[in-house]
Amino acid sequence: DAKTTQPPSMDCAEGRAANLPCNHSTISGNEYVYWYRQIHSQGPQYIIHGLKNNETNEMASLIITEDRKSSTLTLPHATLRDTAVYYCIVRPRMDSSYKLIFGSGTRLLVRP
Amino acid sequence: DGGITQSPKYLFRKEGQNVTLSCEQNLNHDAMYWYRQDPGQGLRLIYYSQIVNDFQKGDIAEGYSVSREKKESFPLTVTSAQKNPTAFYLCASSTPRLGNTEAFFGQGTRLTVV
C-alpha cells in the first residue's frame, strides 16, 4: 500500500480556512486519495476522495497536485466542531482486498 | 436509518476472560473490518472480511478471532491470548463501487480489562 505523510498537528482560528497537507509520493496511477476525520472518541467519518481532479463537497475541498504526489484538504470556514484528527489515505481504485490502512493523521485544533 | 452499530459502548472484563464485541450493519455492504486504536495512535487493522464465511488477518490479528456467518454481522472475540486488550475497538463496512470504496464506521467499543 502507498504510504502517506502528514504533519502531526496544526491549528487555525475559527472562521478561517484550515489547509491540511498530505504527501503520497509513491502513489500509483490507480490509487485514490481519501480523507477521513475522527472526532474524539468517535468512529472516523468520510470527508472526500479524489483521483486527479480537484473535488469539492459540502464539507471540504480536495486539491491534488498535477503529479499526484501530494494533496491538500481545505475546510473553508473552520468551526470549533472541526477539531479532530484528519487522516489521509491512498487505496487502489478497485481494491480486491478492501483494506483501509490508517496512519497517524493530523490533529487539527480550531481556536476560538 | 441505515448504519453500522457497535455494542456495547463501554465494556469491562477481568483479565483472562474472553469477550465478544458486536458489530451489525444494515447497509448491505459486502466488506467488514475491525480496527484497534490505542490512546493518541492511529487505527490498526485486526481482521477484515470481504464476503460471508470468509475473513483475513490484518496487521495485528494475534489474540483475536472473528466470524462472518451473516452478511450483516461481524463479531470480534478478544481472547485471553491478547496481551494488551484494553483499547478502543472500531468496526467498519464498505462495498466496492467503481471509483469509490467509502467506508462507514461504528461509534466504537471501549474495552477495559482489569
Side-chain angles (χ1 to χ4, degrees), chain B residues 1-5 24-29 104:
Chain B
D1 288 347
I4 183 163
T5 302
E24 303 279 335
Q25 54 98 0
N26 60 3
L27 300 167
N28 199 32
H29 284 173
F104 293 83

Side-chain angles (χ1 to χ4, degrees), chain B residues 19-51:
Chain B
V19 60
T20 297
L21 283 59
S22 170
C23 179
E24 303 279 335
Q25 54 98 0
N26 60 3
L27 300 167
N28 199 32
H29 284 173
D30 295 307
M32 297 186 74
Y33 317 76
W34 275 105
Y35 293 88
R36 169 185 172 134
Q37 188 174 36
D38 293 289
Q41 305 297 313
L43 283 69
R44 291 186 291 169
L45 184 64
I46 304 173
Y47 268 99
Y48 63 104
S49 168
Q50 300 176 31
I51 57 172

Side-chain angles (χ1 to χ4, degrees), chain A residues 46-86:
Chain A
Y46 165 83
I47 301 173
I48 200 168
H49 75 284
L51 183 63
K52 55 183 178 180
N53 298 321
N54 296 340
E55 302 288 344
T56 298
N57 62 21
E58 65 278 6
M59 290 181 66
S61 297
L62 174 62
I63 297 175
I64 302 173
T65 57
E66 191 170 346
D67 63 7
R68 300 186 70 242
K69 293 185 176 182
S70 65
S71 60
T72 300
L73 178 76
T74 296
L75 309 177
H77 305 286
T79 71
L80 299 179
R81 289 178 294 180
D82 291 323
T83 291
V85 178
Y86 288 77

Side-chain angles (χ1 to χ4, degrees), chain A residues 14-111:
Chain A
E14 187 177 19
R16 305 297 293 267
N19 298 298
L20 291 85
C22 180
N23 287 323
H24 30 79
S25 58
T26 60
I27 194 170
S28 62
N30 70 339
E31 290 181 318
Y32 278 71
V33 179
Y34 280 77
W35 283 83
Y36 286 78
R37 75 178 182 183
Q38 185 179 24
I39 295 170
H40 183 64
S41 295
Q42 296 183 21
Q45 175 191 21
Y46 165 83
I47 301 173
I48 200 168
H49 75 284
L51 183 63
K52 55 183 178 180
N53 298 321
N54 296 340
E55 302 288 344
T56 298
N57 62 21
E58 65 278 6
M59 290 181 66
S61 297
L62 174 62
I63 297 175
I64 302 173
T65 57
E66 191 170 346
D67 63 7
R68 300 186 70 242
K69 293 185 176 182
S70 65
S71 60
T72 300
L73 178 76
T74 296
L75 309 177
H77 305 286
T79 71
L80 299 179
R81 289 178 294 180
D82 291 323
T83 291
V85 178
Y86 288 77
Y87 296 97
C88 169
I89 301 163
V90 295
R91 65 180 299 182
R93 188 177 184 183
M94 286 295 287
D95 185 350
S96 61
S97 67
Y98 296 64
K99 287 194 290 184
L100 267 178
I101 304 297
F102 286 76
S104 299
T106 295
R107 189 173 299 274
L108 175 68
L109 173 64
V110 180
R111 295 178 279 103

